[in-house]
Amino acid sequence: MSGRMVGVDVGGTFTDIFVLNEEDGTASVAKVPTTRPDQSGGFLDGISQRVPDLSEISVVVHGTTAGTNALLERKGATTGVICTEGLRDVLEMRRRDRPRTWGLRGDFEPVVDRRNRLEVPERTLADGTIRTPVDLEAVRAAARRLQAQGCDAIAILFANAYANPENEAAAVTAVREIWQNPHVSASSEILPEIREFERFSTTALNAYLQPEVSGYLDRLERALTSGGFDGEFMIVQSNGGVMAVDTACRLPVRTALSGPAAGVIAAGYIASSAGFDNVITGDMGGTSFDVSLISDGHSMLSPQTAIDFGMVVRTPMIEITTIGAGGGSIAWVDKGGLLNIGPESAGSNPGPVAYGLGNTRPTVTDANVVLGRIDPDNPIGGKLERLDVEAASEAIDQHVGQPLGLNTIQAAEAILRVANSRMAGAIRLVSIERGFDPKRFAFMPFGGGGALHAGAMLKDVGIARAIVPRYPGVTSAMGCVIADMRQDFVQTINSLVDQLDVVALKAFMQIHVDQGLAMLDAARTRFDSRTLSFELDMAYVGQTHTVSVPLTIRTEKDKVLPPTTAEIEAAFDTAYEAAFGRLLEKGVRRVLNLRSAVTGLRPKFDLRALAPTGTEVPQPRTKRNVHFGDEWHETAIYDRLALPVGTVVQGPAILEQPDTTVLVEPDLQARVDAFGNTIIEPSEGVS
């Protein structure tokens, strides 16, 4: 079989394709509009543009926003819940938080309607003792009632099921025997971890997504197969790893940040290859701007994320801050005379005013077009012949210029200033506000629009330099090809360290290892190596917040040798002191959870394969006037992909390629490194 690996990232506006030929290390890219409501059309169209014969493909890896969109737009399945008596309203009560700080009313509605949340007699205590065995006849009656009420998915949520899953397992078996489809989720299978609301929320959201995500992936897989594809189809998880399709259909909640996570993985690999282990990523698409931080080569993982208010998912996810400031974000003036950007987006259809597809309200892209920063004769994405500069100018005039008393150019500059300010705020949020100095970091803009705003981020945030990857518009799709296969596991232990049952801890570790390695063995992909990692959530007795304590574990032929209590205490002291600068003298140490990760490291391709091979610096393709600040500058326009390694281009300049436009402002310079990346930094002599 020919070794073509295909990464596909479906965004809100464009579907991006990255094709790697493993035999010779060459790559090609494609960008097509995302199709709605069924995204599989754009998915297949993009692949077939680069690989007409699908039988030539060995692996397809997909970063999907199907789950994210279903949650944000509340378009999941009608879901039912069977829970312990008295716990019907846990999803509603949450953590006694509220959507808005002030006011007497909140407007949060759980994804499961109250009439579809049914109680049954059963009770397991916190120590795992079963006080009331589950009433299986009541469970069957509840399941039949939920079927009659039109539910397509069901979640079993029992008290303390993490401590002893026996009652829940019996109920799940009974429900699966009579349920009309495979969409049955159990909290002890999805998240065997203490804290009731988080466990209930994650499991309910998993059930809510199952019909939507598994149906979408099944349509894709069938379409690929009918086109002659006989390779492996894998899905990117929110933790930056990949999983098999059957795992994604069973655990769709793990795809909640699938697409953005793939971009961060690629950015980390590109940046570390180029010598930058500290990088802040900025993925600017048509709909949003996603920011993440990589420190010392490691992405930040968050144990829990709220996809929207009240929609809490507790599964490891790459920490990503998202704001509604994409290229298609609409600029508008509010009643108080303030200019706002987003969150409403024109998306890919109708898109910015300049697309000429019916939108009349100006976007960030329209401002870039009017200021000469985007070439109206060569729009990215392939479907349009030319951008309508006049229509974009009129829209900016009408909706921004006239209300604010500005001419067209001033209004366009104002739109960019507000958009850049919002992006800079997101970057400060992930860096300065978390104790990281942005001067130590490089900024990596990607997505179709990110490289137009790199210079502004350097000025506004004080970042030293920007690194623009070779194919910034399809970085998330490249990340799909690069990502390792990873499975995360969690199990609540809930024991004082001096009373810890080390034999039981070892048993849980071994179960996680066995399950993880079995998943890797079942995959049809090749791994360079496999790694195991373990950490404990620990605290002093009386504390509610835990610290993550990494464990150094010895193994013999995939058999885990457990740590001693003394080793656990020493590891906790090290982690706690690093976090808080001191230890509590008489504090009693407590282990809350075990977290395990089993990772199969997939082969990486040499990024030098993407670098340009020419040696002669081409002349600018043309020149055009571009507006910077308060004046027009004659600006050289280069074909970016033709610039050889070592080229230095002084600003103002624009580097164009099919999937993005790189803007080099007047006091900056662009340098092509050995991998074909463009490093943007202050011109020599400019401090």
Side-chain angles (χ1 to χ4, degrees), residues 1-165:
M1 181 184 289
S2 173
R4 286 180 196 265
M5 295 181 69
V6 178
V8 186
D9 174 57
V10 178
T13 307
F14 286 112
T15 293
D16 300 330
I17 314 292
F18 183 89
V19 180
L20 174 69
N21 187 333
E22 289 183 288
E23 290 171 10
D24 59 12
T26 58
S28 59
V29 302
K31 191 181 244 330
V32 298
T34 294
T35 51
R36 292 178 181 276
D38 185 0
Q39 299 172 350
S40 58
F43 183 103
L44 293 163
D45 179 32
I47 293 178
S48 58
Q49 279 194 17
R50 290 292 170 263
V51 192
D53 182 0
L54 299 187
S55 67
E56 295 179 5
I57 301 172
S58 57
V59 182
V60 174
V61 187
H62 179 25
T64 175
T65 53
T68 324
N69 293 342
L71 291 178
L72 292 175
E73 297 168 14
R74 291 191 169 237
K75 290 183 178 172
T78 303
T79 304
V81 160
I82 297 177
C83 65
T84 308
E85 277 182 329
L87 301 185
R88 185 182 188 186
D89 296 316
V90 166
L91 291 175
E92 202 123 17
M93 292 187 293
R94 305 177 308 283
R95 287 280 166 204
R96 295 182 295 174
D97 49 359
R98 51 173 66 182
R100 288 176 296 279
T101 306
W102 310 112
L104 297 175
R105 291 187 177 85
D107 56 0
F108 175 73
E109 289 283 333
V111 296
V112 183
D113 191 280
R114 194 171 194 272
R115 77 189 192 99
N116 291 332
R117 305 196 300 261
L118 306 181
E119 300 177 349
V120 295
E122 79 84 32
R123 192 69 186 196
T124 300
L125 303 182
D127 64 359
T129 306
I130 294 178
R131 189 172 72 186
T132 308
V134 61
D135 183 338
L136 292 179
E137 275 312 306
V139 168
R140 292 186 187 98
R144 291 191 182 97
R145 182 175 159 192
L146 291 171
Q147 278 178 327
Q149 290 174 190
C151 292
D152 291 320
I154 192 166
I156 314 295
L157 309 175
F158 285 175
N160 299 316
Y162 66 87
N164 182 350

Side-chain angles (χ1 to χ4, degrees), residues 516-539:
L517 292 177
M519 286 180 180
L520 297 186
D521 290 340
R524 290 162 58 188
T525 193
R526 181 168 62 86
F527 302 111
D528 281 350
S529 61
R530 303 169 183 224
T531 64
L532 310 175
S533 67
F534 303 94
E535 59 183 39
L536 300 174
D537 292 341
M538 294 182 65

Side-chain angles (χ1 to χ4, degrees), residues 240-268:
V242 296
M243 57 184 165
V245 170
D246 60 342
T247 309
C249 291
R250 191 168 48 84
L251 300 170
V253 77
R254 293 192 179 180
T255 70
L257 290 177
S258 168
V264 177
I265 290 298

Side-chain angles (χ1 to χ4, degrees), residues 331 339 367 371 396-397 399-402 404 406-417:
L339 176 58
L371 296 173
I396 289 172
D397 246 356
H399 291 277
V400 178
Q402 290 169 13
L404 298 180
L406 302 173
N407 64 35
T408 309
I409 299 303
Q410 290 170 331
E413 283 283 0
I415 290 170
L416 290 190
R417 215 158 33 245

Side-chain angles (χ1 to χ4, degrees), residues 226-423:
S226 65
F229 173 69
D230 186 35
E232 184 164 32
F233 184 33
M234 293 191 290
I235 308 301
V236 179
Q237 302 183 70
S238 306
N239 63 12
V242 296
M243 57 184 165
V245 170
D246 60 342
T247 309
C249 291
R250 191 168 48 84
L251 300 170
V253 77
R254 293 192 179 180
T255 70
L257 290 177
S258 168
V264 177
I265 290 298
Y269 180 60
I270 294 166
S272 63
S273 298
F276 301 101
D277 280 344
N278 295 315
V279 63
I280 297 168
T281 69
D283 179 3
M284 185 178 182
T287 310
S288 63
F289 181 63
D290 301 326
V291 185
S292 192
L293 184 137
I294 298 167
S295 176
D296 295 328
H298 297 291
S299 304
M300 302 284 137
L301 276 184
S302 173
Q304 176 175 311
T305 302
I307 303 300
D308 197 0
F309 176 78
M311 290 189 181
V312 171
V313 174
R314 191 160 177 84
T315 182
M317 296 191 187
I318 289 180
E319 277 194 22
I320 295 169
T321 298
T322 299
I323 61 170
S329 295
I330 290 168
W332 54 285
V333 177
D334 64 20
K335 291 175 182 173
L338 285 176
L339 176 58
N340 295 271
I341 305 293
E344 192 180 352
S345 172
S348 60
N349 191 359
V353 177
Y355 280 19
L357 299 177
N359 176 35
T360 58
R361 293 185 294 165
T363 66
V364 174
T365 294
D366 290 314
N368 276 313
V369 169
V370 166
L371 296 173
R373 300 177 177 198
I374 292 175
D375 183 358
D377 296 316
N378 288 296
I380 66 171
K383 295 274 177 168
L384 298 170
E385 295 291 320
R386 189 176 188 283
L387 299 178
D388 190 338
V389 185
E390 294 73 25
S393 298
E394 287 170 19
I396 289 172
D397 246 356
Q398 180 187 343
H399 291 277
V400 178
Q402 290 169 13
L404 298 180
L406 302 173
N407 64 35
T408 309
I409 299 303
Q410 290 170 331
E413 283 283 0
I415 290 170
L416 290 190
R417 215 158 33 245
V418 173
N420 288 335
S421 170
R422 293 199 60 213
M423 291 182 216

